[in-house]
Amino acid sequence: MAEYEHRHIDFSGLGVVRDYKSPGSNARQRTLQRIREEHGRRVVGELDVAFRSADRGREALDLPDGTPPPDGIYLEVELAPGAGPTTLERKREGTRQGAVTVTANGIRRIALFVPDDTRDVFDAVFRDYAFAEVEGDKIPKKSRVEPVEHIRTARLQTFWRDDPAALPDDSQAEMWWALWCFTDRVERVDELARRLGLTVGGDDTRLRFPEVTVLPVHGRRAAIELLLFSTGGIAEIRRATDTPAVFTDELSGMANDFVEDLAERVTWPGRAVPAVCLLDTGVNRGHALIEPALDRDDLYAVVADWGVDDHSDIGHGSGMAGLALHGDLTAPLADASQPVLSHRLESVKILPPDGFEPNDPFSYGAITTSAASLPEISAPERPRVFCAAITNENRSGAEPTGWSAALDQISSGADAVDEGPDHIRRLFVQALGNIGDSSRADEISDADAFPGEDPAQAWNVLTVGGITLKSDIAERGYRDWSGWSSPGDRSPYSRTTTLWRSSQSPIKPEVVFEAGNRALSRSGAEALSGLPSLSLLTTSKAAGREPVSPFWATSAATAQAGRMAARMMAERPDFWPETVRALMVHSARWTPHMLAEFEGAAGKTERKGLARKYGYGAPDLRRAIASARDDLALVAQRHIQPFRMDGGTVRFGDAHVYRLPWPREVLEGLGDERVRLKVTLSYFVEPNPSFASAIDPARYQSFGLRFDLKRARETERNFLRRVNKDDRVEGDPRPVNEDNDGWFFGPKSVSAGSVHMDIWEGSAVELAARDLLYVYPISGWWRERKALGRVESKTRYALVVGIETPDVDVDLITPIAAEIENLVAAGVTIET
């Protein structure tokens, strides 16, 4: 695009006028007036044109349905040569100054946001300067207007603060962009970016400074322009170049300085906070970013002679520790944020160092049980999430094993002395397993040929797979290579469970986190693992020499999952482990890349297969702990008795009916607008592994739970009779089973596991009528094996119900809050 033409007025010439010796001052006044009018009228004319042009551009914006319209416009303001430091923004007017660029010939241009509701005030500044009657030298708004040489409608180039050659000319060109956002508008930018189908970096990838937050976004140039002019939230734009390679290569000699600076900025946690308990190779506690959050008394080993320090050559346990505490260190090392840690660490070494007998693979169930008991004995009151990235290498998790059953037993608290419904439960996050390294890409290209490894199949654990948003390679020797996976795709390190028998195995992984990317040669024949720019950055074992190091694969993903769980426990100490797991699953979203695959699936069976690759998506902490006005989540924690004895017969026991507090008038007013209902049900089963359990999941679980939703044209009476046979009386007609389409996976996809999620999508008016949700038990060994004496045992579950209006900006929280007291109806009695 050609540069604008420029015509400069040199205000330094006014000095000659001031020195002009004349018997009177009329000539000087007329000269000043002429210059002022000429300059002022021209700038006012340019401002009028810029306003009209910006308005036309705004009308042409193709925004997704439900997106609030822009509330202001951007201008490009060019300053006169020689103008000193100039601030264009005014707090009272709401104007905001963004990017400042200087051309090769010294011309300074500023991006300025002008809100709609103060546009007249801004316009009046220039009109007063140009047209107001003046006496003497008191020219109104002189200091604000005279430095301004030109005003135009802003362009993308106005905001570009990088090498001009790096800005793609093609509107369809895709890349990672660093959007420097006004801090109070970053959520607006984030929300619209997701509506536009762009890939947005997670919370840990954002740089935070006092007045701006840097948001990494991957997408087309055209979409970035739409995002820019629709939100009024972007101050400047650059290439996204933040990468661990900066600290491992370019600034490696200064890495200790960055680490010490971050350690001073962190607010460290006390002792009475939740912990991530790492079951790994031990941890090097001496690191400046670990020691304040890991007491010496919180270091354990299942065999005392092993010691507690990290014995791994690569510092695996220490790397897990850094990610479990801080997440990816790339952003916090580079910004000016002041992180506040609400959780701490514990470490149990479960792998022997060199010189000791290796663990028997068949003893890992007992080892894990012993490992979990050590911190509980020492700090029994501390909430914790157990985090394990160790798997039984090349042992498929398609069926229950001693190790996976042990994890289910520990999670469920079946080993507890107290047999009441509130005996201790434990949350485990467990890695799905990695695809091994190979320089030959064809040997590791088929991820489905590498099934998830034991004990990832454990029903009660939160199994973690890997995705990646990292695609740009910074290392000089590999500039012609590319990232193996596209941003938002499965990490090439992560296994899948596509080949597990779908009818007997739970959907795993449930969630995915960043796991890094592999590099692929230009020919596509060679693969390379562990490039720093395609990895995460974490604390290293060798704190003195190299305080940070790259880290990748599902170990990295699992450490981040443990961190999120512990932060949720700190935020909501009243939540059960089952609830934390439910909310992590419920908050997960598929990336645009994943959604494209799901939308192209032929049906529910194919969607279930994709879930075995991507889980339920990538969780989001903010979404998990707080509802938005148009994305609301309701949480229930309830006790339930699945079975009861009726004489000598075992019958089903409790079932719970929830009256969903939908704002009927709001939903009916939306008519045919699309809405989504998301339901997540989480509970822990007691395992009973046997030969039969590998064939029939009902033989493995102590009980199971399912949910059902009232149909739109179904009466309450019919709904209760349909879902509860005990509610029918002799002679009643068979209940009508109305069509139940609209579910993303459907009830037939649920065969195994102890966390179930599905999404119903339909019209708002139909959802208004679907206002009853039924949670009911299904069979398990408590019922089938009466001789074991557990028939009338009580247990508990967590239920999360969410409603989203993706295409409409509507307040759901206020009307639902008014009805919340009517949410739960116990048993089959409806409370109104």
Side-chain angles (χ1 to χ4, degrees):
M1 185 177 291
E3 284 294 318
Y4 293 116
E5 294 182 2
H6 303 94
R7 186 169 67 84
H8 303 296
I9 298 176
D10 188 356
F11 284 98
S12 62
L14 292 177
V16 177
V17 176
R18 293 190 187 97
D19 293 336
Y20 177 68
K21 303 299 182 181
S22 173
S25 60
N26 289 341
R28 176 174 179 271
Q29 293 293 337
R30 286 195 299 271
T31 302
L32 285 172
Q33 179 71 10
R34 178 179 56 79
I35 294 175
R36 176 171 70 92
E37 290 179 356
E38 179 183 356
H39 176 62
R41 288 173 178 172
R42 178 174 53 78
V43 174
V44 166
E46 290 180 347
L47 183 60
D48 287 341
V49 171
F51 280 158
R52 290 196 298 271
S53 177
D55 287 338
R56 287 194 299 271
R58 182 159 60 177
E59 291 172 1
L61 293 175
D62 185 17
L63 294 173
D65 292 340
T67 303
D71 61 350
I73 62 168
Y74 278 114
L75 301 175
E76 179 182 287
V77 181
E78 181 181 313
L79 300 183
T86 302
T87 300
L88 299 179
E89 67 182 17
R90 294 293 186 274
K91 186 174 182 179
R92 180 177 296 180
E93 297 170 11
T95 53
R96 294 192 172 193
Q97 183 169 302
V100 179
T101 56
V102 181
T103 66
N105 54 356
I107 296 172
R108 187 159 34 127
R109 295 173 182 158
I110 298 174
L112 186 69
F113 177 74
V114 181
D116 286 338
D117 56 5
T118 60
R119 184 194 291 194
D120 291 344
V121 177
F122 182 78
D123 182 65
V125 169
F126 295 88
R127 294 188 180 277
D128 287 349
Y129 172 86
F131 303 117
E133 295 292 334
V134 299
E135 295 182 5
D137 295 337
K138 295 182 179 179
I139 302 174
K141 308 300 188 294
K142 175 180 178 180
S143 62
R144 291 187 62 181
V145 178
E146 287 192 353
V148 175
E149 181 73 0
H150 292 287
I151 297 178
R152 311 178 185 88
T153 304
R155 310 164 294 159
L156 180 64
Q157 290 89 335
T158 308
F159 300 83
W160 186 249
R161 289 290 312 282
D162 212 320
D163 180 1
L167 179 63
D169 293 327
D170 184 359
S171 64
Q172 300 304 308
E174 294 188 41
M175 59 181 278
W176 275 104
W177 308 76
L179 307 182
W180 291 59
C181 304
F182 300 118
T183 299
D184 63 338
R185 291 204 169 199
V186 66
E187 296 307 321
R188 180 183 300 196
V189 178
D190 186 350
E191 179 183 355
L192 181 54
R194 296 178 191 276
R195 284 174 175 259
L196 293 172
L198 302 175
T199 301
V200 183
D203 196 58
D204 290 344
T205 66
R206 304 177 185 190
L207 296 169
R208 293 174 173 82
F209 300 101
E211 294 185 292
V212 293
T213 298
V214 184
L215 187 68
V217 176
H218 185 273
R220 297 173 293 110
R221 168 179 165 152
I224 296 299
E225 290 188 272
L226 180 57
L227 188 65
L228 168 65
F229 294 112
S230 301
T231 60
I234 300 174
E236 59 184 69
I237 302 175
R238 307 182 190 186
R239 289 176 293 180
T241 58
D242 294 306
T243 164
V246 172
F247 298 102
T248 59
D249 299 334
E250 298 171 28
L251 301 177
S252 59
M254 300 173 60
N256 272 309
D257 295 332
F258 284 99
V259 165
E260 291 173 6
D261 174 68
L262 176 57
E264 291 177 358
R265 286 188 276 119
V266 171
T267 298
W268 295 96
R271 286 190 55 82
V273 295
V276 178
C277 184
L278 299 169
L279 309 182
D280 212 274
T281 62
V283 174
N284 176 13
R285 180 177 174 270
H287 199 288
L289 293 178
I290 295 177
E291 187 272 337
L294 177 58
D295 284 355
R296 192 176 301 278
D297 292 342
D298 291 330
L299 294 166
Y300 310 91
V302 292
V303 176
D305 291 344
W306 291 354
V308 295
D309 292 336
D310 190 351
H311 68 266
S312 167
D313 292 339
I314 63 172
H316 191 271
S318 298
M320 293 282 292
L323 290 176
L325 264 183
H326 307 284
D328 188 347
L329 285 171
T330 306
L333 285 178
D335 66 15
S337 61
Q338 295 182 321
V340 177
L341 293 187
S342 58
H343 68 289
R344 55 188 304 108
L345 292 177
E346 297 170 339
S347 169
V348 183
K349 182 184 286 193
I350 66 171
L351 291 178
D354 292 340
F356 290 84
E357 287 291 325
N359 291 336
D360 180 353
F362 295 99
S363 68
Y364 270 109
I367 290 172
T368 307
T369 302
S370 174
S373 69
L374 293 173
E376 288 184 343
I377 293 171
S378 178
E381 301 302 320
R382 177 183 293 160
R384 59 179 54 82
V385 52
F386 293 96
C387 183
I390 297 168
T391 59
N392 199 348
E393 190 173 2
N394 294 323
R395 171 69 182 270
S396 173
E399 298 178 358
T401 64
W403 192 0
S404 70
L407 289 179
D408 283 335
Q409 189 170 40
I410 301 168
S411 300
S412 69
D415 58 338
V417 176
D418 177 14
E419 295 184 356
D422 283 320
H423 62 251
I424 187 171
R425 267 77 164 185
R426 305 171 181 93
L427 179 60
F428 273 79
V429 292
Q430 168 66 48
L432 180 64
N434 298 325
I435 298 173
D437 295 339
S438 175
S439 60
R440 291 184 53 183
D442 61 340
E443 293 183 346
I444 54 176
S445 61
D446 183 6
D448 292 343
F450 298 89
E453 295 176 321
D454 179 43
Q457 70 273 31
W459 286 29
N460 294 338
V461 307
L462 186 70
T463 302
V464 184
I467 60 165
T468 188
L469 300 182
K470 298 178 179 290
S471 59
D472 294 341
I473 296 176
E475 288 77 7
R476 290 188 180 88
Y478 298 94
R479 294 286 172 82
D480 61 339
W481 289 46
S482 61
W484 180 311
S485 296
S486 302
D489 195 1
R490 178 192 60 84
S491 167
Y493 295 109
S494 184
R495 291 171 175 257
T496 76
T497 63
T498 304
L499 296 184
W500 286 5
R501 287 185 296 176
S502 60
S503 61
Q504 285 81 34
S505 303
I507 291 179
K508 297 285 183 172
E510 290 95 350
V511 294
V512 290
F513 283 80
E514 177 65 64
N517 206 346
R518 281 190 165 109
L520 200 61
S521 66
R522 192 169 188 175
S523 67
E526 297 178 78
L528 182 65
S529 302
L531 278 183
S533 59
L534 297 180
S535 305
L536 296 88
L537 192 68
T538 188
T539 50
S540 75
K541 174 184 174 183
R545 301 189 307 275
E546 299 174 353
V548 292
S549 61
F551 205 75
W552 58 91
T554 55
S555 293
T558 306
Q560 295 170 88
R563 175 174 179 252
M564 178 176 173
R567 295 170 75 187
M568 288 183 63
M569 290 176 175
E571 183 74 21
R572 292 300 304 265
D574 56 320
F575 281 171
W576 298 336
E578 300 97 317
T579 314
V580 172
R581 179 177 68 153
L583 282 166
M584 290 183 69
V585 170
H586 194 84
S587 73
R589 297 293 186 273
W590 293 298
T591 66
H593 182 98
M594 298 174 190
L595 280 172
E597 288 199 49
F598 276 110
E599 289 168 0
K604 292 181 174 63
T605 300
E606 196 168 326
R607 290 176 193 162
K608 184 178 178 181
L610 288 171
R612 293 186 174 278
K613 178 180 178 182
Y614 297 128
Y616 299 114
D620 181 89
L621 177 65
R622 290 171 296 170
R623 188 183 295 115
I625 61 179
S627 296
R629 69 195 300 268
D630 60 350
D631 185 354
L632 178 74
L634 304 170
V635 180
Q637 299 182 134
R638 296 294 306 276
H639 295 87
I640 191 169
Q641 182 177 324
F643 315 111
R644 60 182 173 84
M645 292 294 299
D646 183 5
T649 304
V650 180
R651 298 188 182 278
F652 286 107
D654 296 342
H656 294 165
V657 175
Y658 291 81
R659 181 176 292 281
L660 301 174
W662 297 153
R664 294 185 67 93
E665 291 184 1
V666 174
L667 292 176
E668 289 172 353
L670 294 176
D672 291 333
E673 292 286 353
R674 308 300 289 177
V675 296
R676 296 192 193 111
L677 175 73
K678 189 172 187 179
V679 182
T680 305
L681 180 63
S682 172
Y683 54 95
F684 289 165
V685 302
E686 290 186 30
N688 185 17
S690 64
F691 173 76
S693 67
I695 301 173
D696 181 6
R699 302 293 183 90
Y700 181 80
Q701 65 189 13
S702 49
F703 69 98
L705 294 178
R706 299 292 186 266
F707 58 82
D708 196 2
L709 187 67
K710 174 181 170 291
R711 314 300 192 254
R713 288 170 292 279
E714 186 175 32
T715 65
E716 293 181 3
R717 175 64 178 161
N718 188 86
F719 172 62
L720 295 177
R721 289 170 51 243
R722 178 173 56 79
V723 295
N724 182 14
K725 295 179 181 179
D726 291 341
D727 195 50
R728 303 178 199 166
V729 298
E730 188 175 353
D732 273 357
R734 184 178 181 85
V736 177
N737 193 355
E738 186 186 331
D739 178 66
N740 191 31
D741 203 10
W743 290 100
F744 194 79
F745 292 112
K748 292 183 180 179
S749 70
V750 181
S751 55
S754 61
V755 60
H756 314 300
M757 190 284 291
D758 208 347
I759 301 168
W760 178 88
E761 184 167 350
S763 69
V765 69
E766 182 177 354
L767 181 60
R770 304 193 72 168
D771 58 351
L772 292 180
L773 184 75
Y774 192 75
V775 176
Y776 62 95
I778 64 170
S779 192
W781 64 262
W782 280 358
R783 181 178 189 266
E784 303 297 331
R785 306 294 296 275
K786 289 191 297 182
L788 297 178
R790 301 299 302 279
V791 171
E792 295 192 310
S793 296
K794 294 182 179 180
T795 186
R796 66 191 196 186
Y797 67 89
L799 175 70
V800 185
V801 180
I803 180 173
E804 303 174 19
T805 55
D807 298 331
V808 184
D809 182 26
V810 60
D811 180 12
L812 295 174
I813 289 182
T814 301
I816 286 181
E819 299 289 338
I820 204 70
E821 63 184 26
N822 299 323
L823 176 63
V824 178
V828 294
T829 302
I830 301 173
E831 299 175 355
T832 58

